[in-house]
Amino acid sequence: MNDGSTAAAAAGYLDMELLRFTTAGSVDDGKSTLIGRLLYDSKSIFDDQYDAIKRTSETRGEEYVNLALLTDGLRAEREQGITIDVAYRYFATPRRKFIIADTPGHIQYTRNMVTGASTANLAIILVDARNGVIEQTRRHAYIASLLRIPHVVVCVNKMDLVEFREGAFTYIREQFGAIAEHLEMNDVHFLPISALKGDNVVTPSGNMPWYDGPTLLSLLESVPVENDYNHRDRRFPVQYVIRPQTTEHHDYRGYAGRVAGGVFRPGDPVMVLPSGLTSRVRSVDTLEGPLDEAFAPMSVTVTLEDEIDISRGDMLADPADLPNVSQDLDLMVCWLHERPLQPGGKYAVKHTTRDARCIVKDIRYKVDISNLHFVEAAGGVTMNDIARITIRTTQPLFFDPYAQNRTTGSLILIDEATNETVGAGMIV
């Protein structure tokens, strides 16, 4: 390949649309095997990798190549045959780039699933065709709905172990459909698959002529993601102020960051929060040059027509459509740390590019994910618990409800003594 075609291929790769997806399922539902199958059948692994896991499978006396070994990278995971930590995998097809967050299935790793799923466009929830919907399935469905993951694919796996019967698939589809309706999940797809055999993962299955839908890969390649971001409400948290020190650009003052919502175009009116001063967008710049428009989740530099004192943590917004501004926030929080959440506890807060401190005013209830009921938090909020709390911050935050904007509607709580992230919050 000559330099020109190499550069063109690289540019084409960079311009490809990205889909982030997470996998969730109970222990032994086949997540690691599914990801291994997806990588292998889409030709996204090297021959030597395949040869290595083939040898390992033979050494262990397994009668098939154990594709789960591709993804269970930690020694403890291989020894126990389980997934413990969140592992990120990258692969691409001619149509899209993908980032997979492979998350654990165990109940004690709920926090890992929340971490892996927080930025996902799509969640794959695996259900064992023999077992149907179990408590862990409900837990994963609830977390997917809580995190407002736009697209959900329910993969009914191990269809080969129920003789590829349509009735087994239909029963699970009805079971999960009732949960999805209760949780108001909008875009849910159901696929009958065998990750071990490869049925309906990358290639259509000849064993299930009653299923005429897409394979998993074709669904991942085609699910529309352009509307997963809020393109209505203009939000631009300022990350960094750019003031070049060269004489050529001595009067340049740009505000770098990632668009969190809406579309920014030259000439658009903006209000700067918290000052309330207004101006208009002069230009939207990138390293490659100016743009006609920028939208979430693009990283750009915005310049304004007026000189205004702006710093990191400020936000540019539409004067006719401002975010909420408050020091009192109502949150759903997933607790991530061994030390319990303390009523009256003080924590640092990171929200978009803004830092503050807060005090926990009230713990209203916890969610019993096994039955989706609200229960009193009398025993406190401990690791992996999901609870509704209220906090008061030391300075105002500029936010939207999480249901409206996943970027401006989320925050993290940090233990000031250890600097550890202890809670992931979604603003109600």
Side-chain angles (χ1 to χ4, degrees):
M1 200 183 266
N2 62 42
D3 289 349
S5 58
T6 304
Y13 178 79
L14 290 172
D15 290 340
M16 282 168 66
E17 196 170 48
L18 171 67
L19 177 82
R20 297 172 180 268
F21 68 92
T22 182
T23 57
S26 190
V27 183
D28 291 332
D29 277 352
K31 294 187 308 301
S32 298
T33 304
L34 175 63
I35 294 171
R37 172 63 64 187
L38 203 52
L39 295 174
Y40 177 65
D41 282 5
S42 63
K43 303 192 169 36
S44 300
I45 63 167
F46 296 112
D47 289 343
D48 59 343
Q49 286 177 290
Y50 181 77
D51 292 341
I53 64 166
K54 185 178 180 182
R55 283 195 302 273
T56 305
S57 302
E58 289 169 353
T59 304
R60 288 162 58 153
E62 293 171 336
E63 57 200 44
Y64 56 90
V65 177
N66 187 349
L67 292 170
L69 296 173
L70 273 172
T71 58
D72 282 341
L74 299 176
R75 179 180 294 176
E77 294 177 332
R78 292 192 178 199
E79 287 172 356
Q80 297 176 47
I82 61 170
T83 304
I84 295 173
D85 203 358
V86 182
Y88 293 93
R89 313 284 167 194
Y90 307 86
F91 77 104
T93 68
R95 297 182 63 181
R96 248 184 198 161
K97 293 180 293 189
F98 301 94
I99 298 177
I100 314 170
D102 182 15
T103 61
H106 290 59
I107 188 168
Q108 68 266 38
Y109 299 123
T110 298
R111 61 180 183 155
N112 304 58
M113 182 185 169
V114 169
T115 304
S118 59
T119 57
N121 305 94
L122 180 145
I124 295 175
I125 298 178
L126 269 85
V127 181
D128 190 320
R130 300 167 300 174
N131 302 331
V133 171
I134 59 174
E135 182 181 325
Q136 274 295 78
T137 316
R138 287 193 290 273
R139 176 178 286 267
H140 295 144
Y142 177 75
I143 291 170
S145 72
L146 179 70
L147 292 171
R148 299 276 171 173
I149 298 176
H151 314 281
V152 174
V153 179
V154 180
C155 285
V156 181
N157 192 23
K158 305 193 179 182
M159 288 297 294
D160 52 308
L161 299 181
V162 294
E163 298 164 346
F164 299 104
R165 289 197 316 273
E166 183 177 7
F169 172 70
T170 305
Y171 175 65
I172 291 170
R173 187 174 62 190
E174 290 170 355
Q175 270 189 308
F176 194 97
I179 296 169
E181 191 175 341
H182 176 71
L183 295 173
E184 298 178 351
M185 299 166 81
N186 295 323
D187 188 31
V188 183
H189 305 261
F190 294 88
L191 268 77
I193 67 166
S194 168
L196 183 66
K197 309 280 189 182
D199 294 81
N200 287 336
V201 179
V202 172
T203 52
S205 170
N207 293 311
M208 292 175 275
W210 44 265
Y211 174 76
D212 59 0
T215 63
L216 177 59
L217 183 63
S218 63
L219 188 58
L220 294 174
E221 286 183 323
S222 61
V223 69
V225 295
E226 60 273 7
N227 294 322
D228 292 353
Y229 301 95
N230 181 322
H231 295 315
R232 184 179 63 253
D233 309 305
R234 284 212 300 277
R235 308 282 186 261
F236 187 79
V238 176
Q239 197 164 21
Y240 186 72
V241 180
I242 296 178
R243 293 297 305 271
Q245 302 302 309
T246 61
T247 52
E248 184 185 354
H249 300 104
H250 71 278
D251 60 343
Y252 186 92
R253 188 183 184 93
Y255 308 103
R258 174 175 283 184
V259 180
V263 182
F264 284 80
R265 301 180 180 91
D268 282 345
V270 291
M271 179 179 283
V272 181
L273 298 172
S275 69
L277 297 171
T278 57
S279 183
R280 289 184 179 275
V281 175
R282 174 185 287 165
S283 67
V284 179
D285 299 333
T286 67
L287 282 173
E288 285 75 38
L291 300 176
D292 293 332
E293 61 180 26
F295 46 85
M298 294 169 67
S299 295
V300 296
T301 298
V302 174
T303 67
L304 302 181
E305 291 181 356
D306 302 280
E307 285 218 8
I308 299 175
D309 185 18
I310 298 173
S311 55
R312 176 184 168 86
D314 292 356
M315 181 182 282
L316 308 182
D318 185 342
D321 175 28
L322 292 172
N324 299 293
V325 181
S326 179
Q327 290 175 255
D328 293 297
L329 286 87
D330 201 354
L331 311 174
M332 294 298 293
V333 67
C334 177
W335 200 246
L336 310 174
H337 204 270
E338 294 94 350
R339 270 193 307 282
L341 169 63
Q342 300 293 337
K346 294 178 180 175
Y347 301 96
V349 175
K350 278 194 178 293
H351 172 257
T352 63
T353 58
R354 197 163 177 79
D355 297 327
R357 297 170 66 219
C358 77
I359 185 168
V360 177
K361 289 171 63 180
D362 184 32
I363 300 175
R364 295 176 58 185
Y365 57 77
K366 288 199 302 188
V367 180
D368 183 341
I369 303 185
S370 61
N371 54 25
L372 306 182
H373 291 165
F374 301 150
V375 296
E376 282 189 35
V381 177
T382 55
M383 188 163 72
N384 293 312
D385 280 344
I386 292 172
R388 177 91 171 253
I389 67 171
T390 55
I391 63 171
R392 163 157 273 220
T393 58
T394 51
Q395 56 178 310
L397 301 184
F398 325 122
F399 64 91
D400 300 286
Y402 185 82
Q404 186 177 321
N405 188 315
R406 291 171 78 191
T407 303
T408 59
S410 59
L411 55 79
I412 58 172
L413 300 176
I414 296 167
D415 185 310
E416 292 185 287
T418 64
N419 210 31
E420 293 175 300
T421 300
V422 292
M426 290 135 280
I427 301 171
V428 181

